[in-house]
Amino acid sequence: MECRVVINSLSDYLDGSLAAQEFQSIEAHLTQCPPCNAVRVDLTQITLAAKELPLRTPSRALWIRIQNEIEIETAVPGKVEEKKVSWWKRVSERNFTFTLPQLAGASMLAFSLMVFGMYHALHRDPQVASQASSDTANPILPMEKDLQFKIQQKASQLNTRRVSWNPEIRTVYDNHLQRIDNSLSHVRQSWVTTRDTDQQKLLMDLYNEKLRLMEDFERLGK
Amino acid sequence: MSSLSLTTPLALFGMPAKGAPVARTNNVIVGATTTNTAVPDFELTQAAANGDMAAFETLYERHYRRVYSLCLRMLANPTEAEDLTQEVFVQLFRKLGSFRGESQFTTWLHRLTVNQVLMHFRKKGVKLEKTTEEGDELNEIVQVGTDRPNSMPVVDRIALDDAIAQLPPGYRSVFVLHDVEGYEHEEIGKLLGCSVGTSKSQLHKARMKLRGLLTKKS
Ligand SMILES: [Zn+2]
């Protein structure tokens, strides 16, 4: 039997899908042909390793995104379209039914909450920096300041842009932002007390998620 | 099971936002996040179909890593894999009501995932069947084996994962479905819209190509 033929049948051989006669002639070849047998050994190794590949883990903020998406859907049932690509696009494509005065109050409240949160984030920094050498009650992560700065910049850009948004978009935005902010402050608090690395990762994910939210809504205005 | 400390952050995420429109009919499940393995998937799907986000969160906790891993291995792109995982769970939420429990929930969810991935491939115009550079490839790989019979190191799983990512999408899909996920060729043929013979030959080429990639690495 030719080596090329044997090699081409190796997967069928390994998966047990060969007829008895063919199986035997390949087996006979393998016992006499070290190169072909080496390929068999390798393919066996590959198939065995494939069965034991470890599970991979996505970013911890993924659940927030899923929850947001579902929330938007359940908020306006019947407006769901299967082909929509992302939730921000969905937001931009929807027919909005609320009136401006109805929502102005709600979004102003959410907005002031956001400003409040931002104020705290900003005013915490110098304090932390000044105590950086000692074990502070409010430690700061290496990338945190950077992210907070980026978020602050985005926020001020969005503030000028948001006037052109539809009121419902503003509410949706504010709700999402508030949810992320809530989680941020909880996770941050828990990290400050535990210094747990999982909490730390989650905290960074949340900052990035917040930035991503802002960037998504930034695109709405374009 | 190494579920890490995931229950904590997820429980945090699960806090209802102000004015959240989703009804929470069965909050008891949330309180039992650590012992909820007792609640069968089917019961959770029914609760979630009635708007119980806590039940849906438990389903997510149980299955998101497998769904993400499948997406990641088939797409070889972490960002796309996350987007698709998101899409799968949103789809899942929409379709919960149609799950009657006649098949295993995991089987159902995985088919939903595979279909989403394949739809994504189609949208992107990825061809699963024909890959041009097949011609002399096998001969070349056979040569490697002939020259250096024991050249492939013991396969470590990280190296294999990397190598899978380098396969052309068609090979990759068949390999992931068959060798990683344990699908039969008949099922793969149906999913990919190809014959059993094509599925088999794609799988063999995938394995040989992986061998080549893993050999080159050493
Ligand atoms: Zn031979």
Side-chain angles (χ1 to χ4, degrees):
Chain A
M1 210 170 192
E2 224 182 305
C3 287
R4 208 164 51 88
V5 178
V6 172
I7 297 290
N8 278 335
S9 303
L10 268 183
S11 280
D12 288 336
Y13 170 84
L14 292 172
D15 297 339
S17 58
L18 287 180
Q21 208 183 349
E22 206 179 345
F23 183 88
Q24 277 160 15
S25 52
I26 285 177
E27 195 150 59
H29 179 97
L30 290 173
T31 54
Q32 297 159 7
C33 180
C36 282
N37 195 49
V39 179
R40 178 190 67 85
V41 170
D42 289 351
L43 294 194
T44 307
Q45 263 205 76
I46 289 169
T47 53
L48 289 178
K51 286 187 181 66
E52 282 169 5
L53 286 176
L55 288 180
R56 307 284 291 269
T57 308
S59 118
R60 280 146 193 271
L62 186 58
W63 173 244
I64 283 197
R65 282 162 57 192
I66 291 167
Q67 223 181 357
N68 281 341
E69 178 119 6
I70 289 171
E71 194 179 310
I72 292 174
E73 252 188 50
T74 44
V76 187
K79 276 284 163 194
V80 179
E81 280 174 43
E82 293 276 318
K83 62 176 162 61
K84 280 175 187 161
V85 184
S86 66
W87 61 272
W88 72 265
K89 205 174 169 201
R90 177 168 310 165
V91 169
S92 67
E93 282 171 356
R94 187 178 299 138
N95 272 332
F96 294 98
T97 48
F98 292 113
T99 59
L100 186 75
Q102 257 181 317
L103 284 151
S107 62
M108 276 314 288
L109 175 70
F111 182 59
S112 52
L113 276 172
M114 181 185 82
V115 172
F116 180 76
M118 213 67 87
Y119 175 87
H120 272 259
L122 290 173
H123 286 253
R124 195 183 293 148
D125 293 0
Q127 202 184 356
V128 169
S130 68
Q131 299 173 13
S133 53
S134 64
D135 188 32
T136 65
N138 239 341
I140 193 141
L141 289 162
M143 294 295 292
E144 198 175 6
K145 230 176 160 174
D146 214 37
L147 278 166
Q148 283 176 348
F149 181 69
K150 275 189 202 156
I151 286 169
Q152 187 214 347
Q153 272 189 320
K154 271 278 174 289
S156 60
Q157 284 165 16
L158 281 174
N159 282 349
T160 53
R161 197 163 286 178
R162 58 183 278 128
V163 274
S164 68
W165 293 348
N166 185 303
E168 201 190 337
I169 292 183
R170 260 184 297 215
T171 311
V172 169
Y173 171 75
D174 291 336
N175 284 344
H176 290 328
L177 198 69
Q178 204 187 327
R179 173 174 278 179
I180 294 175
D181 277 341
N182 282 345
S183 300
L184 253 175
S185 80
H186 274 90
V187 173
R188 200 176 195 295
Q189 216 168 3
S190 127
W191 173 73
V192 166
T193 45
T194 61
R195 305 294 172 97
D196 176 53
T197 49
D198 280 338
Q199 296 290 324
Q200 182 175 328
K201 265 188 229 142
L202 179 62
L203 188 60
M204 297 321 260
D205 278 348
L206 282 168
Y207 277 122
N208 283 313
E209 190 61 23
K210 187 168 172 176
L211 204 57
R212 189 180 158 145
L213 174 86
M214 289 173 154
E215 282 165 359
D216 280 351
F217 274 83
E218 198 177 21
R219 273 181 275 167
L220 282 178
K222 285 181 180 165
Chain B
M1 282 291 279
S2 61
S3 66
L4 305 170
S5 65
L6 262 171
T7 46
T8 318
L10 283 173
L12 279 168
F13 287 171
M15 291 183 311
K18 263 187 199 137
V22 180
R24 304 172 73 86
T25 53
N26 191 6
N27 272 342
V28 188
I29 293 172
V30 139
T33 31
T34 45
T35 51
N36 61 24
T37 41
V39 184
D41 282 341
F42 181 56
E43 263 173 51
L44 290 171
T45 61
Q46 288 188 311
N50 288 323
D52 183 347
M53 273 308 269
F56 190 65
E57 186 176 337
T58 307
L59 280 173
Y60 176 81
E61 267 179 68
R62 274 185 201 174
H63 301 284
Y64 79 105
R65 294 183 75 208
R66 285 216 54 187
V67 168
Y68 174 72
S69 301
L70 177 53
C71 289
L72 181 62
R73 294 204 167 101
M74 284 187 76
L75 295 163
N77 178 323
T79 312
E80 284 182 14
E82 279 205 4
D83 288 348
L84 227 68
T85 305
Q86 178 178 343
E87 195 55 35
V88 166
F89 278 96
V90 172
Q91 283 282 345
L92 172 67
F93 190 81
R94 288 179 193 150
K95 293 183 178 186
L96 279 170
S98 71
F99 179 64
R100 301 263 168 258
E102 62 286 318
S103 61
Q104 268 224 305
F105 176 73
T106 31
T107 315
W108 189 71
L109 176 61
H110 286 202
R111 197 160 302 139
L112 180 71
T113 308
V114 173
N115 281 324
Q116 285 291 319
V117 173
L118 296 175
M119 203 150 56
H120 177 80
F121 278 148
R122 259 173 253 135
K123 260 188 226 157
K124 283 184 73 181
V126 175
K127 292 252 159 58
L128 290 182
E129 287 225 22
K130 290 234 164 74
T131 28
T132 45
E133 19 91 75
E134 281 170 30
D136 295 321
E137 207 173 281
L138 280 187
N139 288 337
E140 173 208 320
I141 293 164
V142 175
Q143 281 303 307
V144 173
T146 320
D147 294 345
R148 300 183 297 154
N150 292 312
S151 55
M152 199 181 82
V154 175
V155 179
D156 84 89
R157 297 180 299 176
I158 295 166
L160 179 59
D161 243 344
D162 287 348
I164 292 171
Q166 293 176 56
L167 291 175
Y171 292 178
R172 197 165 63 224
S173 301
V174 177
F175 182 82
V176 170
L177 290 176
H178 188 280
D179 280 5
V180 181
E181 298 292 324
Y183 281 67
E184 301 290 339
H185 285 295
E186 284 72 18
E187 187 144 31
I188 296 171
K190 267 186 222 151
L191 284 165
L192 301 185
C194 66
S195 67
V196 168
T198 305
S199 175
K200 282 184 176 176
S201 83
Q202 295 271 85
L203 175 67
H204 181 62
K205 285 168 184 165
R207 287 173 177 170
M208 291 300 281
K209 181 135 180 115
L210 285 173
R211 178 175 180 270
L213 289 165
L214 292 164
T215 308
K216 245 179 243 167
K217 262 210 152 148
S218 61

PDB file of all heavy atoms in Angstrom, chain A residues 11-39:
ATOM      1  N   SER A  11      -7.447   9.589   9.071  1.00  0.00           N
ATOM      2  CA  SER A  11      -8.532  10.102   9.919  1.00  0.00           C
ATOM      3  C   SER A  11      -9.680   9.102   9.985  1.00  0.00           C
ATOM      4  O   SER A  11     -10.225   8.853  11.067  1.00  0.00           O
ATOM      5  CB  SER A  11      -9.022  11.454   9.393  1.00  0.00           C
ATOM      6  OG  SER A  11      -8.131  12.467   9.816  1.00  0.00           O
ATOM      7  N   ASP A  12     -10.027   8.530   8.846  1.00  0.00           N
ATOM      8  CA  ASP A  12     -11.080   7.506   8.845  1.00  0.00           C
ATOM      9  C   ASP A  12     -10.654   6.317   9.697  1.00  0.00           C
ATOM     10  O   ASP A  12     -11.468   5.734  10.421  1.00  0.00           O
ATOM     11  CB  ASP A  12     -11.374   7.044   7.403  1.00  0.00           C
ATOM     12  CG  ASP A  12     -12.115   8.126   6.614  1.00  0.00           C
ATOM     13  OD1 ASP A  12     -12.783   8.972   7.261  1.00  0.00           O
ATOM     14  OD2 ASP A  12     -12.019   8.135   5.378  1.00  0.00           O
ATOM     15  N   TYR A  13      -9.379   5.990   9.590  1.00  0.00           N
ATOM     16  CA  TYR A  13      -8.836   4.890  10.398  1.00  0.00           C
ATOM     17  C   TYR A  13      -8.993   5.196  11.890  1.00  0.00           C
ATOM     18  O   TYR A  13      -9.495   4.377  12.668  1.00  0.00           O
ATOM     19  CB  TYR A  13      -7.362   4.682  10.031  1.00  0.00           C
ATOM     20  CG  TYR A  13      -6.598   3.745  10.938  1.00  0.00           C
ATOM     21  CD1 TYR A  13      -6.627   2.367  10.750  1.00  0.00           C
ATOM     22  CD2 TYR A  13      -5.833   4.256  11.991  1.00  0.00           C
ATOM     23  CE1 TYR A  13      -5.923   1.518  11.589  1.00  0.00           C
ATOM     24  CE2 TYR A  13      -5.116   3.413  12.829  1.00  0.00           C
ATOM     25  CZ  TYR A  13      -5.169   2.046  12.631  1.00  0.00           C
ATOM     26  OH  TYR A  13      -4.469   1.217  13.459  1.00  0.00           O
ATOM     27  N   LEU A  14      -8.590   6.416  12.279  1.00  0.00           N
ATOM     28  CA  LEU A  14      -8.658   6.790  13.699  1.00  0.00           C
ATOM     29  C   LEU A  14     -10.100   6.911  14.197  1.00  0.00           C
ATOM     30  O   LEU A  14     -10.388   6.613  15.358  1.00  0.00           O
ATOM     31  CB  LEU A  14      -7.922   8.118  13.932  1.00  0.00           C
ATOM     32  CG  LEU A  14      -6.406   8.095  13.758  1.00  0.00           C
ATOM     33  CD1 LEU A  14      -5.840   9.501  13.823  1.00  0.00           C
ATOM     34  CD2 LEU A  14      -5.759   7.210  14.817  1.00  0.00           C
ATOM     35  N   ASP A  15     -10.990   7.384  13.318  1.00  0.00           N
ATOM     36  CA  ASP A  15     -12.376   7.576  13.734  1.00  0.00           C
ATOM     37  C   ASP A  15     -13.198   6.295  13.625  1.00  0.00           C
ATOM     38  O   ASP A  15     -14.402   6.307  13.895  1.00  0.00           O
ATOM     39  CB  ASP A  15     -13.026   8.700  12.901  1.00  0.00           C
ATOM     40  CG  ASP A  15     -12.330  10.037  13.133  1.00  0.00           C
ATOM     41  OD1 ASP A  15     -11.655  10.177  14.170  1.00  0.00           O
ATOM     42  OD2 ASP A  15     -12.445  10.929  12.275  1.00  0.00           O
ATOM     43  N   GLY A  16     -12.544   5.233  13.191  1.00  0.00           N
ATOM     44  CA  GLY A  16     -13.223   3.940  13.116  1.00  0.00           C
ATOM     45  C   GLY A  16     -14.287   3.852  12.044  1.00  0.00           C
ATOM     46  O   GLY A  16     -15.281   3.154  12.215  1.00  0.00           O
ATOM     47  N   SER A  17     -14.095   4.585  10.946  1.00  0.00           N
ATOM     48  CA  SER A  17     -15.125   4.537   9.910  1.00  0.00           C
ATOM     49  C   SER A  17     -14.667   3.794   8.650  1.00  0.00           C
ATOM     50  O   SER A  17     -15.196   4.003   7.573  1.00  0.00           O
ATOM     51  CB  SER A  17     -15.577   5.963   9.558  1.00  0.00           C
ATOM     52  OG  SER A  17     -14.485   6.724   9.120  1.00  0.00           O
ATOM     53  N   LEU A  18     -13.669   2.923   8.823  1.00  0.00           N
ATOM     54  CA  LEU A  18     -13.204   2.134   7.677  1.00  0.00           C
ATOM     55  C   LEU A  18     -13.808   0.729   7.714  1.00  0.00           C
ATOM     56  O   LEU A  18     -14.085   0.196   8.787  1.00  0.00           O
ATOM     57  CB  LEU A  18     -11.675   2.025   7.698  1.00  0.00           C
ATOM     58  CG  LEU A  18     -10.853   3.255   7.328  1.00  0.00           C
ATOM     59  CD1 LEU A  18      -9.370   2.919   7.423  1.00  0.00           C
ATOM     60  CD2 LEU A  18     -11.182   3.758   5.928  1.00  0.00           C
ATOM     61  N   ALA A  19     -13.960   0.168   6.534  1.00  0.00           N
ATOM     62  CA  ALA A  19     -14.386  -1.235   6.460  1.00  0.00           C
ATOM     63  C   ALA A  19     -13.250  -2.114   6.990  1.00  0.00           C
ATOM     64  O   ALA A  19     -12.087  -1.723   6.934  1.00  0.00           O
ATOM     65  CB  ALA A  19     -14.710  -1.593   5.018  1.00  0.00           C
ATOM     66  N   ALA A  20     -13.630  -3.268   7.489  1.00  0.00           N
ATOM     67  CA  ALA A  20     -12.668  -4.144   8.180  1.00  0.00           C
ATOM     68  C   ALA A  20     -11.428  -4.433   7.343  1.00  0.00           C
ATOM     69  O   ALA A  20     -10.296  -4.367   7.847  1.00  0.00           O
ATOM     70  CB  ALA A  20     -13.354  -5.446   8.565  1.00  0.00           C
ATOM     71  N   GLN A  21     -11.627  -4.692   6.078  1.00  0.00           N
ATOM     72  CA  GLN A  21     -10.498  -5.074   5.230  1.00  0.00           C
ATOM     73  C   GLN A  21      -9.500  -3.926   5.079  1.00  0.00           C
ATOM     74  O   GLN A  21      -8.288  -4.105   5.229  1.00  0.00           O
ATOM     75  CB  GLN A  21     -11.021  -5.503   3.861  1.00  0.00           C
ATOM     76  CG  GLN A  21     -10.095  -6.503   3.196  1.00  0.00           C
ATOM     77  CD  GLN A  21     -10.591  -6.876   1.806  1.00  0.00           C
ATOM     78  OE1 GLN A  21     -11.711  -6.548   1.412  1.00  0.00           O
ATOM     79  NE2 GLN A  21      -9.735  -7.554   1.060  1.00  0.00           N
ATOM     80  N   GLU A  22     -10.050  -2.746   4.800  1.00  0.00           N
ATOM     81  CA  GLU A  22      -9.192  -1.574   4.621  1.00  0.00           C
ATOM     82  C   GLU A  22      -8.465  -1.243   5.921  1.00  0.00           C
ATOM     83  O   GLU A  22      -7.278  -0.897   5.937  1.00  0.00           O
ATOM     84  CB  GLU A  22     -10.026  -0.383   4.157  1.00  0.00           C
ATOM     85  CG  GLU A  22      -9.214   0.629   3.367  1.00  0.00           C
ATOM     86  CD  GLU A  22     -10.062   1.803   2.889  1.00  0.00           C
ATOM     87  OE1 GLU A  22     -11.302   1.711   2.906  1.00  0.00           O
ATOM     88  OE2 GLU A  22      -9.466   2.825   2.511  1.00  0.00           O
ATOM     89  N   PHE A  23      -9.200  -1.356   6.998  1.00  0.00           N
ATOM     90  CA  PHE A  23      -8.632  -1.111   8.323  1.00  0.00           C
ATOM     91  C   PHE A  23      -7.405  -1.997   8.558  1.00  0.00           C
ATOM     92  O   PHE A  23      -6.345  -1.527   8.981  1.00  0.00           O
ATOM     93  CB  PHE A  23      -9.698  -1.388   9.396  1.00  0.00           C
ATOM     94  CG  PHE A  23      -9.234  -1.102  10.794  1.00  0.00           C
ATOM     95  CD1 PHE A  23      -9.367   0.169  11.349  1.00  0.00           C
ATOM     96  CD2 PHE A  23      -8.655  -2.107  11.580  1.00  0.00           C
ATOM     97  CE1 PHE A  23      -8.940   0.435  12.635  1.00  0.00           C
ATOM     98  CE2 PHE A  23      -8.217  -1.842  12.865  1.00  0.00           C
ATOM     99  CZ  PHE A  23      -8.364  -0.561  13.406  1.00  0.00           C
ATOM    100  N   GLN A  24      -7.558  -3.255   8.218  1.00  0.00           N
ATOM    101  CA  GLN A  24      -6.466  -4.203   8.444  1.00  0.00           C
ATOM    102  C   GLN A  24      -5.256  -3.913   7.571  1.00  0.00           C
ATOM    103  O   GLN A  24      -4.119  -3.978   8.038  1.00  0.00           O
ATOM    104  CB  GLN A  24      -6.961  -5.633   8.218  1.00  0.00           C
ATOM    105  CG  GLN A  24      -7.651  -6.190   9.451  1.00  0.00           C
ATOM    106  CD  GLN A  24      -8.555  -7.371   9.143  1.00  0.00           C
ATOM    107  OE1 GLN A  24      -8.467  -7.957   8.054  1.00  0.00           O
ATOM    108  NE2 GLN A  24      -9.421  -7.702  10.074  1.00  0.00           N
ATOM    109  N   SER A  25      -5.505  -3.564   6.307  1.00  0.00           N
ATOM    110  CA  SER A  25      -4.349  -3.328   5.437  1.00  0.00           C
ATOM    111  C   SER A  25      -3.610  -2.051   5.862  1.00  0.00           C
ATOM    112  O   SER A  25      -2.379  -1.971   5.752  1.00  0.00           O
ATOM    113  CB  SER A  25      -4.752  -3.290   3.957  1.00  0.00           C
ATOM    114  OG  SER A  25      -5.802  -2.397   3.770  1.00  0.00           O
ATOM    115  N   ILE A  26      -4.345  -1.077   6.376  1.00  0.00           N
ATOM    116  CA  ILE A  26      -3.674   0.132   6.869  1.00  0.00           C
ATOM    117  C   ILE A  26      -2.894  -0.169   8.148  1.00  0.00           C
ATOM    118  O   ILE A  26      -1.749   0.248   8.313  1.00  0.00           O
ATOM    119  CB  ILE A  26      -4.691   1.276   7.082  1.00  0.00           C
ATOM    120  CG1 ILE A  26      -5.085   1.832   5.707  1.00  0.00           C
ATOM    121  CG2 ILE A  26      -4.107   2.393   7.945  1.00  0.00           C
ATOM    122  CD1 ILE A  26      -6.107   2.887   5.700  1.00  0.00           C
ATOM    123  N   GLU A  27      -3.511  -0.958   8.977  1.00  0.00           N
ATOM    124  CA  GLU A  27      -2.834  -1.326  10.222  1.00  0.00           C
ATOM    125  C   GLU A  27      -1.532  -2.080   9.922  1.00  0.00           C
ATOM    126  O   GLU A  27      -0.485  -1.832  10.543  1.00  0.00           O
ATOM    127  CB  GLU A  27      -3.747  -2.203  11.078  1.00  0.00           C
ATOM    128  CG  GLU A  27      -3.267  -2.318  12.498  1.00  0.00           C
ATOM    129  CD  GLU A  27      -4.433  -2.504  13.462  1.00  0.00           C
ATOM    130  OE1 GLU A  27      -5.182  -3.481  13.308  1.00  0.00           O
ATOM    131  OE2 GLU A  27      -4.593  -1.642  14.331  1.00  0.00           O
ATOM    132  N   ALA A  28      -1.619  -2.963   8.948  1.00  0.00           N
ATOM    133  CA  ALA A  28      -0.430  -3.727   8.539  1.00  0.00           C
ATOM    134  C   ALA A  28       0.668  -2.785   8.057  1.00  0.00           C
ATOM    135  O   ALA A  28       1.847  -2.926   8.415  1.00  0.00           O
ATOM    136  CB  ALA A  28      -0.802  -4.723   7.443  1.00  0.00           C
ATOM    137  N   HIS A  29       0.260  -1.779   7.253  1.00  0.00           N
ATOM    138  CA  HIS A  29       1.238  -0.814   6.744  1.00  0.00           C
ATOM    139  C   HIS A  29       1.877  -0.026   7.895  1.00  0.00           C
ATOM    140  O   HIS A  29       3.091   0.186   7.912  1.00  0.00           O
ATOM    141  CB  HIS A  29       0.570   0.137   5.751  1.00  0.00           C
ATOM    142  CG  HIS A  29       1.502   1.180   5.201  1.00  0.00           C
ATOM    143  ND1 HIS A  29       2.136   1.053   3.978  1.00  0.00           N
ATOM    144  CD2 HIS A  29       1.940   2.357   5.721  1.00  0.00           C
ATOM    145  CE1 HIS A  29       2.910   2.097   3.761  1.00  0.00           C
ATOM    146  NE2 HIS A  29       2.801   2.928   4.808  1.00  0.00           N
ATOM    147  N   LEU A  30       1.062   0.377   8.816  1.00  0.00           N
ATOM    148  CA  LEU A  30       1.559   1.205   9.925  1.00  0.00           C
ATOM    149  C   LEU A  30       2.608   0.481  10.771  1.00  0.00           C
ATOM    150  O   LEU A  30       3.550   1.106  11.266  1.00  0.00           O
ATOM    151  CB  LEU A  30       0.395   1.665  10.809  1.00  0.00           C
ATOM    152  CG  LEU A  30      -0.554   2.692  10.182  1.00  0.00           C
ATOM    153  CD1 LEU A  30      -1.762   2.927  11.093  1.00  0.00           C
ATOM    154  CD2 LEU A  30       0.157   4.019   9.930  1.00  0.00           C
ATOM    155  N   THR A  31       2.434  -0.802  10.926  1.00  0.00           N
ATOM    156  CA  THR A  31       3.410  -1.542  11.742  1.00  0.00           C
ATOM    157  C   THR A  31       4.771  -1.624  11.055  1.00  0.00           C
ATOM    158  O   THR A  31       5.803  -1.756  11.722  1.00  0.00           O
ATOM    159  CB  THR A  31       2.924  -2.980  12.046  1.00  0.00           C
ATOM    160  OG1 THR A  31       2.597  -3.612  10.809  1.00  0.00           O
ATOM    161  CG2 THR A  31       1.732  -2.973  12.969  1.00  0.00           C
ATOM    162  N   GLN A  32       4.762  -1.471   9.716  1.00  0.00           N
ATOM    163  CA  GLN A  32       6.033  -1.583   8.976  1.00  0.00           C
ATOM    164  C   GLN A  32       6.612  -0.247   8.574  1.00  0.00           C
ATOM    165  O   GLN A  32       7.757  -0.187   8.086  1.00  0.00           O
ATOM    166  CB  GLN A  32       5.816  -2.398   7.688  1.00  0.00           C
ATOM    167  CG  GLN A  32       5.403  -3.814   7.921  1.00  0.00           C
ATOM    168  CD  GLN A  32       4.725  -4.388   6.680  1.00  0.00           C
ATOM    169  OE1 GLN A  32       4.705  -3.746   5.632  1.00  0.00           O
ATOM    170  NE2 GLN A  32       4.181  -5.579   6.800  1.00  0.00           N
ATOM    171  N   CYS A  33       5.817   0.825   8.671  1.00  0.00           N
ATOM    172  CA  CYS A  33       6.259   2.113   8.106  1.00  0.00           C
ATOM    173  C   CYS A  33       6.319   3.188   9.202  1.00  0.00           C
ATOM    174  O   CYS A  33       5.309   3.826   9.505  1.00  0.00           O
ATOM    175  CB  CYS A  33       5.313   2.523   6.977  1.00  0.00           C
ATOM    176  SG  CYS A  33       5.783   4.098   6.219  1.00  0.00           S
ATOM    177  N   PRO A  34       7.494   3.405   9.795  1.00  0.00           N
ATOM    178  CA  PRO A  34       7.616   4.391  10.882  1.00  0.00           C
ATOM    179  C   PRO A  34       7.133   5.799  10.510  1.00  0.00           C
ATOM    180  O   PRO A  34       6.480   6.440  11.341  1.00  0.00           O
ATOM    181  CB  PRO A  34       9.113   4.381  11.203  1.00  0.00           C
ATOM    182  CG  PRO A  34       9.584   3.035  10.744  1.00  0.00           C
ATOM    183  CD  PRO A  34       8.758   2.688   9.544  1.00  0.00           C
ATOM    184  N   PRO A  35       7.427   6.333   9.316  1.00  0.00           N
ATOM    185  CA  PRO A  35       6.941   7.686   9.006  1.00  0.00           C
ATOM    186  C   PRO A  35       5.413   7.782   9.049  1.00  0.00           C
ATOM    187  O   PRO A  35       4.865   8.707   9.658  1.00  0.00           O
ATOM    188  CB  PRO A  35       7.457   7.951   7.589  1.00  0.00           C
ATOM    189  CG  PRO A  35       8.617   7.038   7.420  1.00  0.00           C
ATOM    190  CD  PRO A  35       8.281   5.805   8.209  1.00  0.00           C
ATOM    191  N   CYS A  36       4.737   6.827   8.433  1.00  0.00           N
ATOM    192  CA  CYS A  36       3.272   6.858   8.471  1.00  0.00           C
ATOM    193  C   CYS A  36       2.768   6.687   9.903  1.00  0.00           C
ATOM    194  O   CYS A  36       1.805   7.330  10.326  1.00  0.00           O
ATOM    195  CB  CYS A  36       2.677   5.764   7.580  1.00  0.00           C
ATOM    196  SG  CYS A  36       2.706   6.195   5.831  1.00  0.00           S
ATOM    197  N   ASN A  37       3.439   5.813  10.627  1.00  0.00           N
ATOM    198  CA  ASN A  37       3.018   5.592  12.000  1.00  0.00           C
ATOM    199  C   ASN A  37       3.215   6.849  12.854  1.00  0.00           C
ATOM    200  O   ASN A  37       2.412   7.134  13.744  1.00  0.00           O
ATOM    201  CB  ASN A  37       3.780   4.412  12.608  1.00  0.00           C
ATOM    202  CG  ASN A  37       3.115   3.938  13.884  1.00  0.00           C
ATOM    203  OD1 ASN A  37       1.901   3.722  13.908  1.00  0.00           O
ATOM    204  ND2 ASN A  37       3.894   3.826  14.945  1.00  0.00           N
ATOM    205  N   ALA A  38       4.268   7.606  12.533  1.00  0.00           N
ATOM    206  CA  ALA A  38       4.504   8.858  13.272  1.00  0.00           C
ATOM    207  C   ALA A  38       3.343   9.829  13.044  1.00  0.00           C
ATOM    208  O   ALA A  38       2.897  10.512  13.972  1.00  0.00           O
ATOM    209  CB  ALA A  38       5.822   9.486  12.829  1.00  0.00           C
ATOM    210  N   VAL A  39       2.848   9.858  11.812  1.00  0.00           N
ATOM    211  CA  VAL A  39       1.701  10.730  11.526  1.00  0.00           C
ATOM    212  C   VAL A  39       0.481  10.258  12.316  1.00  0.00           C
ATOM    213  O   VAL A  39      -0.255  11.059  12.890  1.00  0.00           O
ATOM    214  CB  VAL A  39       1.391  10.757  10.003  1.00  0.00           C
ATOM    215  CG1 VAL A  39       0.188  11.649   9.722  1.00  0.00           C
ATOM    216  CG2 VAL A  39       2.600  11.260   9.215  1.00  0.00           C
TER     217      VAL A  39
END
